[in-house]
Amino acid sequence: MGLYYYGIRDTTTTYATNFLNLIPVVTFILSISFRLEKVNVHTKAGKVKSLGAVICVADALTTSLYNGEAFYIGHHHHDHSSHIITSMPSNSHWVRDTLMLLSSCFSYSACMVSHTSEVDECIPSQVLQSVVLGLCLETSVAAWRLDLDLQLLTIVYSWYEK
């Protein structure tokens, strides 16, 4: 996420958000590369998976590269020339920031792919991490008190389903 935050620093939020849409595609490509996912393009499922990846990339490219008219919500009765919207800030380092956003996308996908085989083994460590983080962020004793309510029922139900 640090790479994403550095990448968004000098770009627009719309531009940076498009890289989040590429994470499923990069994850799909990495999982195929590491033989965690099998795609047979001769089956209906394989065609749908491939078509979904192409649509995600086309959508991200379209919204990144499209420079249309400014869109205003509501009625503006004043001069719109003072509210010109540009696609990128004038002081941007768009090559550097694009590389950071791409690196963020790749890192997040690689993290998800690397954790697929370890999911069952790392659940106790995830619980421990959550408890430590909770203790650091929520120090009041009242927040840790268990009541017989919907929150407790949700926790028990989600634990039971695993």
Side-chain angles (χ1 to χ4, degrees), residues 26-103:
V26 175
T27 305
F28 179 63
I29 292 170
L30 285 176
S31 63
I32 289 172
S33 300
F34 291 117
R35 300 182 192 270
L36 297 171
E37 179 80 30
K38 293 184 179 21
V39 178
N40 185 356
V41 292
H42 301 296
T43 64
K44 187 176 183 177
K47 289 176 184 176
V48 170
K49 288 178 184 180
S50 300
L51 180 65
V54 169
I55 289 172
C56 279
V57 171
D59 177 51
L61 284 174
T62 302
T63 54
S64 291
L65 300 176
Y66 177 72
N67 288 325
E69 295 292 322
F71 181 71
Y72 297 98
I73 298 175
H75 299 290
H76 292 278
H77 298 291
H78 54 277
D79 183 24
H80 291 296
S81 63
S82 63
H83 299 288
I84 296 173
I85 298 174
T86 59
S87 60
M88 293 291 251
S90 60
N91 62 348
S92 68
H93 303 282
W94 64 273
V95 172
R96 178 197 66 194
D97 294 331
T98 299
L99 290 175
M100 286 188 185
L101 291 168
L102 280 171
S103 298

